[in-house]
């Protein structure tokens, strides 16, 4: 069976067609600038050339139609007809407390997702638009929603409650939810396989370090704490997001800079993180690395603050689990930037972490980064959220 995986944002849509048996990617690509002038489809069949088609896509339905047409195209398509798509797996960002696992898409399920919209106003409505458009075009194909938050629903209340009046949790469900759950789940299971140990007997800390970044404490296969919170703004210093700050800074800056709440949220989401710390140089670590190497102090400072915050969370989660067996790096930075990994691990000697500096120079591979005598193992495991979504989808439609 082939599974179409769709990750639909407000103006973009990423897709992969995966053979559920061999787990091979048959084709992948994305639609950019949906609903905006200059929209285009980037399509790549396995082993073939990347193809770019510029064409108006006023709605998500038109974007998905273009993807489906590309998949069955006589020349560059990878299937003969849409009957060869056995199921569709959709990424859904927020499942609130309603979804502790993936769910088959039904009308009731969609209503429940819609009720989570105000917890993720930028993401969930876009995810729903994608699901509805896909349902219209493929009404008889089973579909599954896979939630970024679901893996973290095992967190105990000690980890998910904030020090706020409890009534806000009761009335509005204000609590930690956590994100990147599909990635944390996939990577924690995969590293257990690589170590040859049952995930149910491991204390794992997963560092998902991309533009958005989070750390997760996985004890015996379950998420028991994670650095993102009610929204993906909390926790680590990120590309442009601040991560943890003293909440009183909001009032202080509101007065000093004459900003309202929208202005402040814009600063915290889009102008902070390593971008803000580097005085607007870049949110991309490749740029920061180049600049730092040329002696740019702002770039070096941004990287140092980012790395320190990750190390601090690792320490916190080692405490939360009363120990740690393995620390895993994944996502854009975690998989590619050996200096980030080296700097973070330089804080972790007290835990019994010894990095193999040569092994650590590798990028984008499943590889052990610690020395053979390191008490705590360190691994790099490339994440694969699409494959994880395809597996979840297959399991539910089988
Ligand atoms: P997201 O999915 O959250 O947008 P990614 O997981 O793609 O983010 O990660 C983006 C980050 O990874 C950027 O900061 C980028 O600089 C970094 N990155 C990607 N490739 C490399 C590389 N080859 N070397 C160093 N950093 C890299």
């Amino acid at each position: 069976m082939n599974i179409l995986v769709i990750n639909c944002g407000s103006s973009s849509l990423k897709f992969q067609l995966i053979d559920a048996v061999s787990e091979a990617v048959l084709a992948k690509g994305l639609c950019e600038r949906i609903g905006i002038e200059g929209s285009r489809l980037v399509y790549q069949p396995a082993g073939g050339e990347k193809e770019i088609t510029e064409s108006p896509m006023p709605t998500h339905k038109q974007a998905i139609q273009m993807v489906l047409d590309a998949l069955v195209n006589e020349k560059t398509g990878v299937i003969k007809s849409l009957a060869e798509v056995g199921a569709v797996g959709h990424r859904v960002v927020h499942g609130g407390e309603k979804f502790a696992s993936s769910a088959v898409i039904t009308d009731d399920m969609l209503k429940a997702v819609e009720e989570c919209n105000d917890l993720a106003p930028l993401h969930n409505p876009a995810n729903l638009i994608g699901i509805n458009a896909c349902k219209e075009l493929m009404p008889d194909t089973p579909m599954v929603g896979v939630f970024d938050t679901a893996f973290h629903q095992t967190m105990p209340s000690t980890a998910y409650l904030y020090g706020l009046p409890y009534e806000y949790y009761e009335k509005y469900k204000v609590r930690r939810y956590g994100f990147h759950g599909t990635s944390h789940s996939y990577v924690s299971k995969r590293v257990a396989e690589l170590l040859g140990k049952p995930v149910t007997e491991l204390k794992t800390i997963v560092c998902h370090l991309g533009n958005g970044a989070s750390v997760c404490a996985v004890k015996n296969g379950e998420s028991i704490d994670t650095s993102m919170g009610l929204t993906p703004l909390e926790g680590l210093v990120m590309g442009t997001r601040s991560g943890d700050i003293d909440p009183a800074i909001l009032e202080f800056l509101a007065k000093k800079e004459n900003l309202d709440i929208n202005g402040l949220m814009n600063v915290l989401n889009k102008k902070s993180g390593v971008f803000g710390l580097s005085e607007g140089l870049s949110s991309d670590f490749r740029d920061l690395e180049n600049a730092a190497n040329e002696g740019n102090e702002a770039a070096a400072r941004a990287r140092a603050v980012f790395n320190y915050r990750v190390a601090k969370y690792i320490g916190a989660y080692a405490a939360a689990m009363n120990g740690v067996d393995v620390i895993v790096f994944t996502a854009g930075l975690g998989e590619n930037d050996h200096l980030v990994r080296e700097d973070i691990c330089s804080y972790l000697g007290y835990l019994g972490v010894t990095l193999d500096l040569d092994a650590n120079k590798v990028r984008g591979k499943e590889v052990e980064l610690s020395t053979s005598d390191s008490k705590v193992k360190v691994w790099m495991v490339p994440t694969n959220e699409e494959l994880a979504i395809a597996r979840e989808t297959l399991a539910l439609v089988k």
Side-chain angles (χ1 to χ4, degrees):
M1 184 198 289
N2 298 320
I3 294 182
L4 179 60
V5 175
I6 292 191
N7 178 357
C8 187
S10 58
S11 68
S12 71
L13 181 155
K14 292 187 205 151
F15 67 91
Q16 281 194 9
L17 186 68
I18 297 176
D19 178 330
V21 178
S22 69
E23 300 198 330
V25 177
L26 304 178
K28 63 179 178 179
L30 76 160
C31 300
E32 293 174 306
R33 302 180 64 85
I34 301 169
I36 313 172
E37 212 165 300
S39 38
R40 58 185 210 155
L41 166 74
V42 182
Y43 170 78
Q44 183 162 30
E49 291 283 303
K50 203 182 259 184
E51 209 177 77
I52 296 176
T53 314
E54 309 219 347
S55 168
M57 297 175 204
T59 66
H60 286 77
K61 193 171 165 189
Q62 273 134 326
I64 293 170
Q65 184 67 61
M66 278 191 71
V67 172
L68 300 179
D69 289 346
L71 292 173
V72 299
N73 182 286
E74 265 187 22
K75 277 197 196 130
T76 52
V78 290
I79 48 176
K80 289 204 177 66
S81 83
L82 290 182
E84 289 177 48
V85 178
V88 184
H90 290 272
R91 177 189 181 209
V92 183
V93 168
H94 218 306
E97 286 188 332
K98 293 184 206 301
F99 295 99
S101 58
S102 306
V104 173
I105 293 176
T106 61
D107 290 344
D108 285 347
M109 180 271 190
L110 288 179
K111 218 181 276 166
V113 172
E114 211 176 320
E115 283 162 19
C116 303
N117 275 6
D118 64 346
L119 291 170
L122 296 178
H123 295 100
N124 269 28
N127 299 154
L128 282 168
I129 288 171
I131 292 172
N132 285 320
C134 217
K135 276 179 64 184
E136 279 181 45
L137 295 167
M138 309 171 82
D140 299 323
T141 309
M143 301 196 186
V144 168
V146 180
F147 299 90
D148 274 27
T149 49
F151 181 59
H152 301 299
Q153 279 296 303
T154 45
M155 271 188 291
S157 57
T158 38
Y160 73 64
L161 285 177
Y162 290 115
L164 288 170
Y166 191 69
E167 63 179 288
Y168 296 145
Y169 169 63
E170 290 181 307
K171 276 202 280 191
Y172 309 122
K173 296 285 171 219
V174 171
R175 52 160 283 180
R176 175 182 312 287
Y177 290 97
F179 298 86
H180 293 139
T182 310
S183 176
H184 289 303
S185 166
Y186 171 85
V187 169
S188 55
K189 288 185 179 75
R190 183 68 193 140
V191 81
E193 281 172 16
L194 292 164
L195 288 168
K197 294 201 172 139
V199 72
T200 47
E201 287 172 20
L202 279 177
K203 295 172 182 174
T204 306
I205 296 176
V206 181
C207 305
H208 178 111
L209 309 179
N211 228 332
S214 68
V215 185
C216 182
V218 185
K219 190 175 182 184
N220 305 335
E222 293 186 339
S223 168
I224 61 128
D225 205 349
T226 189
S227 57
M228 284 178 168
L230 174 77
T231 74
L233 183 55
E234 193 183 346
L236 301 180
V237 173
M238 305 182 215
T240 62
R241 289 175 233 159
S242 64
D244 301 336
I245 60 165
D246 178 348
I249 290 173
L250 288 174
E251 186 204 16
F252 185 86
L253 283 182
K255 288 180 179 157
K256 293 280 185 201
E257 296 272 319
N258 194 24
L259 286 168
D260 64 9
I261 193 66
N262 291 330
L264 286 166
M265 292 313 291
N266 189 44
V267 171
L268 298 188
N269 274 305
K270 304 216 169 114
K271 298 193 173 161
S272 301
V274 292
F275 175 79
L277 281 164
S278 67
E279 298 173 53
L281 188 73
S282 180
S283 63
D284 192 303
F285 267 70
R286 283 164 287 199
D287 300 335
L288 296 177
E289 201 161 292
N290 290 337
N293 287 341
E294 285 163 15
N296 184 311
E297 280 180 24
R301 168 177 64 213
R303 290 176 52 106
V305 175
F306 176 91
N307 294 341
Y308 175 74
R309 181 75 57 90
V310 178
K312 211 161 103 164
Y313 264 98
I314 291 172
Y317 290 162
M321 295 193 288
N322 190 20
V324 51
D325 298 310
V326 56
I327 297 165
V328 200
F329 291 97
T330 193
L333 267 172
E335 293 167 27
N336 289 297
D337 196 325
H338 72 278
L339 292 174
V340 162
R341 294 189 302 258
E342 188 180 322
D343 196 24
I344 291 168
C345 289
S346 74
Y347 288 99
L348 306 177
Y350 75 99
L351 278 177
V353 168
T354 315
L355 199 65
D356 178 333
L357 294 179
D358 287 329
N360 184 47
K361 295 227 167 76
V362 176
R363 66 170 47 163
K365 274 192 190 163
E366 290 178 337
V367 59
E368 181 172 351
L369 306 176
S370 46
T371 57
S372 54
D373 61 350
S374 183
K375 189 170 145 247
V376 172
K377 297 287 162 206
V378 182
W379 276 77
M380 163 162 60
V381 175
T383 192
N384 193 338
E385 287 164 285
E386 291 79 13
L387 178 58
I389 291 175
R391 284 179 181 167
E392 289 277 305
T393 304
L394 178 70
L396 282 180
V397 301
K398 236 180 184 173

